[in-house]
Amino acid sequence: MDEEYDVIVLGTGLKECILSGLLSVDGLKVLHMDRNDYYGGESTSLNLNQLWKRFKGGDAPPAELGASKDYNVDMYMMANGTLVRVLIHTSVTKYLNFKAVDGSYVFNKGKVHKVPATDVEALKSPLMGLFEKRRARKFFIYVQDYDDNDPKSHEGMDVTKVPAKDLISKKYGLDDHTVDFIGHALALYRDDSYLDQPAIDLIKRVKLYAESLARFAGGSPYIYPLYGLGELPQAFARLSAVYGGTYMLNKPECKVEFEGGKVVGVTSEGETAKCKKVVCDPSYLPDKVKKVGKVARAICIMSHPIPSTNDAHSAQVILPQKQLGRKSDMYLFCCSYSHNVAPKGKFIAFVTTEAETDNPETELKPGIDLLGPVDQIFFDTYDRFEPVNQGEEDNCFISTSYDATTHFESTVQDVIAMYSRITGKTLDLSVDLSAASAGGDE
């Protein structure tokens, strides 16, 4: 391999595939390798036999679960705002069919409720009493009308300086339960540290939720690809190839080579491909990452939708940390045969959280208890890693492991930050969002 590549990407997880696509579209010469013989890495979709083998070992799955090939069980889940912009920016939407997710819910005071996202929905929501509804309605109207360029809409507050808690609790007088669902189920924060940050970020996140909700015309701001998220890495791989990127699967022991502390290439099967930069997931450069946490996850196969979600065939339920007496939120996501990820009549539910103990069964119980009867359940924990190297010094750009969230914002933020570090440019995501309309039943 005499030619030199601008970038060699190792691993075909979602982050690596998006970056490979973005860098190829930018005109960089990209070689993309994976030690596995399938796309997706941690983010691949499994059929029932693969799922069974991975978690249960030996025997074949019971016949009543249906045909193995009808299952596409993802190792994680959903898309909104920023990911959609990336999909359109790269035109990868040509290779994918999306469908809106039916419902967005939140766990509050022991029950599952639909998440209100507008002033009209706030007035109807059983989450709040009458006076609280009026206060929440005023807050939503403020957020909807807020415009960076119109000082009148700021109502005398400099939200680039004022912390979120002053806006939400002091100015609008919202109680802790309301703050909980706005912060965690609308703004999608994973803990409460945002309350001390400038309120502008909260405003933008709640706006994004409401805009996504309106755009996809479903009961939620989320879309999900038909046949599951395993389709996403492959779509970006196709995109990269269109722009001259080279793909090599099943390349064992991809060893990153260094000279003088900087990356010079990658060796596999005795051949070295030269490059200026390497992009990879933590498993390819274990000595340049540190463990920062652990995710606990349950994958459940059921014969019914999640109770209290209006019989939704696909839904997300967020269980804010305070409601459970935990330090981190729990996420529940369900999809079904309507997204072509399970045989007719079957539903797949995921329960995930940042692990705070070594016992996922007990820890995930509050989420699993909301599911009703379960046909089969698989438990899993995996470590989360973050890079400790300086990419500017060694030219290695390492992604962080996937966290417990089921809505992707943190995944895409990592990709955008990596893109800037690799190229020195800011990714322009001003796009026509109507290009990603989520269709009905195509």
PDB file of all heavy atoms in Angstrom, residues 21 28 67 83 95 146 157 188 200 222 242 255 263 296 307 311 323 360 376 386 393 402 421 430 435:
ATOM      1  N   GLY A  21     -17.995   9.755   6.341  1.00  0.00           N
ATOM      2  CA  GLY A  21     -18.818  10.396   5.314  1.00  0.00           C
ATOM      3  C   GLY A  21     -18.538  11.879   5.204  1.00  0.00           C
ATOM      4  O   GLY A  21     -18.319  12.418   4.115  1.00  0.00           O
ATOM      5  N   LEU A  28     -11.392  14.837   1.464  1.00  0.00           N
ATOM      6  CA  LEU A  28     -10.220  14.146   2.011  1.00  0.00           C
ATOM      7  C   LEU A  28     -10.188  12.707   1.509  1.00  0.00           C
ATOM      8  O   LEU A  28     -11.223  12.106   1.220  1.00  0.00           O
ATOM      9  CB  LEU A  28     -10.267  14.149   3.553  1.00  0.00           C
ATOM     10  CG  LEU A  28     -10.157  15.528   4.220  1.00  0.00           C
ATOM     11  CD1 LEU A  28     -10.228  15.386   5.729  1.00  0.00           C
ATOM     12  CD2 LEU A  28      -8.869  16.233   3.842  1.00  0.00           C
ATOM     13  N   ALA A  67     -39.615 -15.660  13.576  1.00  0.00           N
ATOM     14  CA  ALA A  67     -38.442 -15.894  12.732  1.00  0.00           C
ATOM     15  C   ALA A  67     -37.286 -14.969  13.110  1.00  0.00           C
ATOM     16  O   ALA A  67     -37.472 -13.759  13.288  1.00  0.00           O
ATOM     17  CB  ALA A  67     -38.812 -15.673  11.269  1.00  0.00           C
ATOM     18  N   LEU A  83     -28.763  15.276  14.625  1.00  0.00           N
ATOM     19  CA  LEU A  83     -28.446  14.147  13.739  1.00  0.00           C
ATOM     20  C   LEU A  83     -29.161  14.314  12.397  1.00  0.00           C
ATOM     21  O   LEU A  83     -28.599  14.054  11.336  1.00  0.00           O
ATOM     22  CB  LEU A  83     -28.831  12.810  14.374  1.00  0.00           C
ATOM     23  CG  LEU A  83     -28.559  11.578  13.488  1.00  0.00           C
ATOM     24  CD1 LEU A  83     -27.082  11.441  13.148  1.00  0.00           C
ATOM     25  CD2 LEU A  83     -29.043  10.301  14.142  1.00  0.00           C
ATOM     26  N   TYR A  95     -30.379   7.291   1.129  1.00  0.00           N
ATOM     27  CA  TYR A  95     -30.236   5.839   1.321  1.00  0.00           C
ATOM     28  C   TYR A  95     -31.106   5.294   2.444  1.00  0.00           C
ATOM     29  O   TYR A  95     -30.980   4.143   2.823  1.00  0.00           O
ATOM     30  CB  TYR A  95     -28.773   5.490   1.662  1.00  0.00           C
ATOM     31  CG  TYR A  95     -27.765   6.071   0.705  1.00  0.00           C
ATOM     32  CD1 TYR A  95     -26.844   7.019   1.134  1.00  0.00           C
ATOM     33  CD2 TYR A  95     -27.732   5.672  -0.624  1.00  0.00           C
ATOM     34  CE1 TYR A  95     -25.905   7.554   0.267  1.00  0.00           C
ATOM     35  CE2 TYR A  95     -26.803   6.208  -1.510  1.00  0.00           C
ATOM     36  CZ  TYR A  95     -25.898   7.149  -1.057  1.00  0.00           C
ATOM     37  OH  TYR A  95     -24.977   7.675  -1.922  1.00  0.00           O
ATOM     38  N   TYR A 146     -38.984  33.569  21.914  1.00  0.00           N
ATOM     39  CA  TYR A 146     -37.611  34.062  22.124  1.00  0.00           C
ATOM     40  C   TYR A 146     -36.861  34.125  20.796  1.00  0.00           C
ATOM     41  O   TYR A 146     -36.857  33.179  20.008  1.00  0.00           O
ATOM     42  CB  TYR A 146     -36.839  33.162  23.102  1.00  0.00           C
ATOM     43  CG  TYR A 146     -35.425  33.668  23.339  1.00  0.00           C
ATOM     44  CD1 TYR A 146     -35.164  34.605  24.334  1.00  0.00           C
ATOM     45  CD2 TYR A 146     -34.366  33.263  22.514  1.00  0.00           C
ATOM     46  CE1 TYR A 146     -33.889  35.121  24.518  1.00  0.00           C
ATOM     47  CE2 TYR A 146     -33.091  33.773  22.687  1.00  0.00           C
ATOM     48  CZ  TYR A 146     -32.861  34.688  23.692  1.00  0.00           C
ATOM     49  OH  TYR A 146     -31.601  35.196  23.862  1.00  0.00           O
ATOM     50  N   MET A 157     -34.145  40.003  30.400  1.00  0.00           N
ATOM     51  CA  MET A 157     -33.158  39.071  30.962  1.00  0.00           C
ATOM     52  C   MET A 157     -32.048  38.815  29.955  1.00  0.00           C
ATOM     53  O   MET A 157     -32.341  38.596  28.777  1.00  0.00           O
ATOM     54  CB  MET A 157     -33.810  37.726  31.291  1.00  0.00           C
ATOM     55  CG  MET A 157     -34.797  37.768  32.433  1.00  0.00           C
ATOM     56  SD  MET A 157     -35.430  36.108  32.769  1.00  0.00           S
ATOM     57  CE  MET A 157     -34.268  35.547  33.982  1.00  0.00           C
ATOM     58  N   LEU A 188     -33.681  17.346  27.328  1.00  0.00           N
ATOM     59  CA  LEU A 188     -32.855  16.128  27.234  1.00  0.00           C
ATOM     60  C   LEU A 188     -31.514  16.240  27.964  1.00  0.00           C
ATOM     61  O   LEU A 188     -30.522  15.653  27.545  1.00  0.00           O
ATOM     62  CB  LEU A 188     -32.615  15.742  25.759  1.00  0.00           C
ATOM     63  CG  LEU A 188     -33.883  15.602  24.905  1.00  0.00           C
ATOM     64  CD1 LEU A 188     -33.539  15.210  23.475  1.00  0.00           C
ATOM     65  CD2 LEU A 188     -34.853  14.593  25.498  1.00  0.00           C
ATOM     66  N   ILE A 200     -29.748  30.264  28.049  1.00  0.00           N
ATOM     67  CA  ILE A 200     -29.900  30.231  26.591  1.00  0.00           C
ATOM     68  C   ILE A 200     -29.879  28.803  26.047  1.00  0.00           C
ATOM     69  O   ILE A 200     -30.630  28.461  25.133  1.00  0.00           O
ATOM     70  CB  ILE A 200     -28.811  31.108  25.885  1.00  0.00           C
ATOM     71  CG1 ILE A 200     -29.006  31.138  24.371  1.00  0.00           C
ATOM     72  CG2 ILE A 200     -27.404  30.655  26.227  1.00  0.00           C
ATOM     73  CD1 ILE A 200     -30.226  31.885  23.903  1.00  0.00           C
ATOM     74  N   TYR A 222     -39.065  12.559  17.505  1.00  0.00           N
ATOM     75  CA  TYR A 222     -38.044  11.577  17.150  1.00  0.00           C
ATOM     76  C   TYR A 222     -38.396  10.858  15.857  1.00  0.00           C
ATOM     77  O   TYR A 222     -39.560  10.616  15.565  1.00  0.00           O
ATOM     78  CB  TYR A 222     -37.915  10.531  18.265  1.00  0.00           C
ATOM     79  CG  TYR A 222     -37.628  11.124  19.611  1.00  0.00           C
ATOM     80  CD1 TYR A 222     -38.562  11.068  20.634  1.00  0.00           C
ATOM     81  CD2 TYR A 222     -36.415  11.772  19.858  1.00  0.00           C
ATOM     82  CE1 TYR A 222     -38.292  11.630  21.874  1.00  0.00           C
ATOM     83  CE2 TYR A 222     -36.147  12.332  21.093  1.00  0.00           C
ATOM     84  CZ  TYR A 222     -37.087  12.254  22.093  1.00  0.00           C
ATOM     85  OH  TYR A 222     -36.812  12.811  23.310  1.00  0.00           O
ATOM     86  N   VAL A 242     -19.077   6.809  -2.462  1.00  0.00           N
ATOM     87  CA  VAL A 242     -19.442   7.669  -3.594  1.00  0.00           C
ATOM     88  C   VAL A 242     -18.405   8.783  -3.775  1.00  0.00           C
ATOM     89  O   VAL A 242     -18.085   9.196  -4.878  1.00  0.00           O
ATOM     90  CB  VAL A 242     -20.852   8.284  -3.367  1.00  0.00           C
ATOM     91  CG1 VAL A 242     -21.131   9.416  -4.341  1.00  0.00           C
ATOM     92  CG2 VAL A 242     -21.922   7.207  -3.492  1.00  0.00           C
ATOM     93  N   LYS A 255      -3.216  -2.226  13.659  1.00  0.00           N
ATOM     94  CA  LYS A 255      -2.259  -1.665  14.616  1.00  0.00           C
ATOM     95  C   LYS A 255      -1.841  -0.276  14.147  1.00  0.00           C
ATOM     96  O   LYS A 255      -1.368  -0.095  13.018  1.00  0.00           O
ATOM     97  CB  LYS A 255      -1.035  -2.591  14.708  1.00  0.00           C
ATOM     98  CG  LYS A 255       0.034  -2.092  15.693  1.00  0.00           C
ATOM     99  CD  LYS A 255       1.146  -3.138  15.865  1.00  0.00           C
ATOM    100  CE  LYS A 255       2.226  -2.653  16.810  1.00  0.00           C
ATOM    101  NZ  LYS A 255       3.110  -1.652  16.220  1.00  0.00           N
ATOM    102  N   VAL A 263       1.139   9.725  14.621  1.00  0.00           N
ATOM    103  CA  VAL A 263       0.680   8.586  13.835  1.00  0.00           C
ATOM    104  C   VAL A 263       1.234   8.671  12.403  1.00  0.00           C
ATOM    105  O   VAL A 263       1.322   9.758  11.832  1.00  0.00           O
ATOM    106  CB  VAL A 263      -0.872   8.536  13.837  1.00  0.00           C
ATOM    107  CG1 VAL A 263      -1.469   9.672  13.048  1.00  0.00           C
ATOM    108  CG2 VAL A 263      -1.365   7.229  13.280  1.00  0.00           C
ATOM    109  N   ALA A 296     -25.745   0.307  32.082  1.00  0.00           N
ATOM    110  CA  ALA A 296     -26.525  -0.915  32.310  1.00  0.00           C
ATOM    111  C   ALA A 296     -27.701  -0.895  31.338  1.00  0.00           C
ATOM    112  O   ALA A 296     -28.326   0.152  31.133  1.00  0.00           O
ATOM    113  CB  ALA A 296     -27.025  -0.957  33.744  1.00  0.00           C
ATOM    114  N   PRO A 307     -47.440  -0.201  28.537  1.00  0.00           N
ATOM    115  CA  PRO A 307     -48.695   0.328  29.107  1.00  0.00           C
ATOM    116  C   PRO A 307     -48.627   1.846  29.307  1.00  0.00           C
ATOM    117  O   PRO A 307     -47.553   2.399  29.497  1.00  0.00           O
ATOM    118  CB  PRO A 307     -48.804  -0.391  30.467  1.00  0.00           C
ATOM    119  CG  PRO A 307     -47.955  -1.624  30.328  1.00  0.00           C
ATOM    120  CD  PRO A 307     -46.858  -1.270  29.372  1.00  0.00           C
ATOM    121  N   ASP A 311     -51.059   2.791  23.493  1.00  0.00           N
ATOM    122  CA  ASP A 311     -50.804   1.696  22.528  1.00  0.00           C
ATOM    123  C   ASP A 311     -49.808   2.073  21.441  1.00  0.00           C
ATOM    124  O   ASP A 311     -49.889   1.569  20.309  1.00  0.00           O
ATOM    125  CB  ASP A 311     -52.120   1.217  21.876  1.00  0.00           C
ATOM    126  CG  ASP A 311     -52.980   0.440  22.870  1.00  0.00           C
ATOM    127  OD1 ASP A 311     -52.402  -0.074  23.853  1.00  0.00           O
ATOM    128  OD2 ASP A 311     -54.200   0.358  22.676  1.00  0.00           O
ATOM    129  N   GLN A 323     -36.993  11.457  40.180  1.00  0.00           N
ATOM    130  CA  GLN A 323     -38.202  10.648  40.365  1.00  0.00           C
ATOM    131  C   GLN A 323     -37.836   9.264  40.899  1.00  0.00           C
ATOM    132  O   GLN A 323     -38.662   8.555  41.456  1.00  0.00           O
ATOM    133  CB  GLN A 323     -38.956  10.511  39.028  1.00  0.00           C
ATOM    134  CG  GLN A 323     -39.344  11.826  38.377  1.00  0.00           C
ATOM    135  CD  GLN A 323     -40.431  12.570  39.135  1.00  0.00           C
ATOM    136  OE1 GLN A 323     -41.321  11.970  39.724  1.00  0.00           O
ATOM    137  NE2 GLN A 323     -40.341  13.895  39.154  1.00  0.00           N
ATOM    138  N   PRO A 360     -27.182  -4.810  37.378  1.00  0.00           N
ATOM    139  CA  PRO A 360     -28.115  -4.186  36.419  1.00  0.00           C
ATOM    140  C   PRO A 360     -29.561  -4.624  36.618  1.00  0.00           C
ATOM    141  O   PRO A 360     -30.483  -3.828  36.457  1.00  0.00           O
ATOM    142  CB  PRO A 360     -27.591  -4.640  35.051  1.00  0.00           C
ATOM    143  CG  PRO A 360     -26.657  -5.762  35.303  1.00  0.00           C
ATOM    144  CD  PRO A 360     -26.133  -5.585  36.695  1.00  0.00           C
ATOM    145  N   GLN A 376     -39.061 -12.271  26.877  1.00  0.00           N
ATOM    146  CA  GLN A 376     -37.644 -12.587  27.088  1.00  0.00           C
ATOM    147  C   GLN A 376     -36.926 -11.317  27.502  1.00  0.00           C
ATOM    148  O   GLN A 376     -37.268 -10.234  27.046  1.00  0.00           O
ATOM    149  CB  GLN A 376     -36.979 -13.094  25.784  1.00  0.00           C
ATOM    150  CG  GLN A 376     -37.285 -14.529  25.428  1.00  0.00           C
ATOM    151  CD  GLN A 376     -36.704 -15.543  26.414  1.00  0.00           C
ATOM    152  OE1 GLN A 376     -35.749 -15.255  27.114  1.00  0.00           O
ATOM    153  NE2 GLN A 376     -37.297 -16.714  26.464  1.00  0.00           N
ATOM    154  N   GLU A 386     -13.351   7.448  27.500  1.00  0.00           N
ATOM    155  CA  GLU A 386     -13.122   8.748  26.867  1.00  0.00           C
ATOM    156  C   GLU A 386     -11.644   8.874  26.566  1.00  0.00           C
ATOM    157  O   GLU A 386     -10.809   8.346  27.304  1.00  0.00           O
ATOM    158  CB  GLU A 386     -13.526   9.885  27.814  1.00  0.00           C
ATOM    159  CG  GLU A 386     -15.004  10.177  27.796  1.00  0.00           C
ATOM    160  CD  GLU A 386     -15.395  11.287  28.755  1.00  0.00           C
ATOM    161  OE1 GLU A 386     -14.481  11.946  29.322  1.00  0.00           O
ATOM    162  OE2 GLU A 386     -16.603  11.488  28.948  1.00  0.00           O
ATOM    163  N   GLU A 393      -1.641  16.724  19.059  1.00  0.00           N
ATOM    164  CA  GLU A 393      -0.227  16.347  19.197  1.00  0.00           C
ATOM    165  C   GLU A 393       0.109  15.037  18.481  1.00  0.00           C
ATOM    166  O   GLU A 393       1.131  14.937  17.819  1.00  0.00           O
ATOM    167  CB  GLU A 393       0.133  16.233  20.693  1.00  0.00           C
ATOM    168  CG  GLU A 393       0.173  17.594  21.374  1.00  0.00           C
ATOM    169  CD  GLU A 393       0.257  17.482  22.893  1.00  0.00           C
ATOM    170  OE1 GLU A 393       0.566  16.376  23.407  1.00  0.00           O
ATOM    171  OE2 GLU A 393       0.010  18.494  23.565  1.00  0.00           O
ATOM    172  N   TYR A 402     -20.547   5.193  23.616  1.00  0.00           N
ATOM    173  CA  TYR A 402     -21.951   5.614  23.668  1.00  0.00           C
ATOM    174  C   TYR A 402     -22.436   5.634  25.113  1.00  0.00           C
ATOM    175  O   TYR A 402     -22.121   4.753  25.885  1.00  0.00           O
ATOM    176  CB  TYR A 402     -22.815   4.660  22.837  1.00  0.00           C
ATOM    177  CG  TYR A 402     -22.370   4.638  21.400  1.00  0.00           C
ATOM    178  CD1 TYR A 402     -21.544   3.634  20.918  1.00  0.00           C
ATOM    179  CD2 TYR A 402     -22.720   5.671  20.544  1.00  0.00           C
ATOM    180  CE1 TYR A 402     -21.080   3.649  19.607  1.00  0.00           C
ATOM    181  CE2 TYR A 402     -22.264   5.697  19.228  1.00  0.00           C
ATOM    182  CZ  TYR A 402     -21.447   4.684  18.761  1.00  0.00           C
ATOM    183  OH  TYR A 402     -20.994   4.720  17.477  1.00  0.00           O
ATOM    184  N   ARG A 421     -11.994  19.299  15.372  1.00  0.00           N
ATOM    185  CA  ARG A 421     -10.604  19.046  15.770  1.00  0.00           C
ATOM    186  C   ARG A 421      -9.795  18.457  14.618  1.00  0.00           C
ATOM    187  O   ARG A 421      -8.621  18.765  14.434  1.00  0.00           O
ATOM    188  CB  ARG A 421     -10.552  18.088  16.975  1.00  0.00           C
ATOM    189  CG  ARG A 421     -11.050  18.707  18.267  1.00  0.00           C
ATOM    190  CD  ARG A 421     -10.505  17.994  19.503  1.00  0.00           C
ATOM    191  NE  ARG A 421     -10.807  16.575  19.539  1.00  0.00           N
ATOM    192  CZ  ARG A 421     -11.955  16.060  19.995  1.00  0.00           C
ATOM    193  NH1 ARG A 421     -12.903  16.854  20.447  1.00  0.00           N
ATOM    194  NH2 ARG A 421     -12.132  14.752  20.003  1.00  0.00           N
ATOM    195  N   SER A 430     -26.524  24.511   8.580  1.00  0.00           N
ATOM    196  CA  SER A 430     -27.728  25.256   8.190  1.00  0.00           C
ATOM    197  C   SER A 430     -28.268  24.602   6.922  1.00  0.00           C
ATOM    198  O   SER A 430     -27.734  24.779   5.839  1.00  0.00           O
ATOM    199  CB  SER A 430     -27.372  26.712   7.931  1.00  0.00           C
ATOM    200  OG  SER A 430     -26.245  26.777   7.071  1.00  0.00           O
ATOM    201  N   ALA A 435     -36.143  18.320   4.037  1.00  0.00           N
ATOM    202  CA  ALA A 435     -35.610  17.193   3.250  1.00  0.00           C
ATOM    203  C   ALA A 435     -35.657  15.873   3.999  1.00  0.00           C
ATOM    204  O   ALA A 435     -35.461  14.823   3.433  1.00  0.00           O
ATOM    205  CB  ALA A 435     -34.163  17.494   2.828  1.00  0.00           C
TER     206      ALA A 435
END
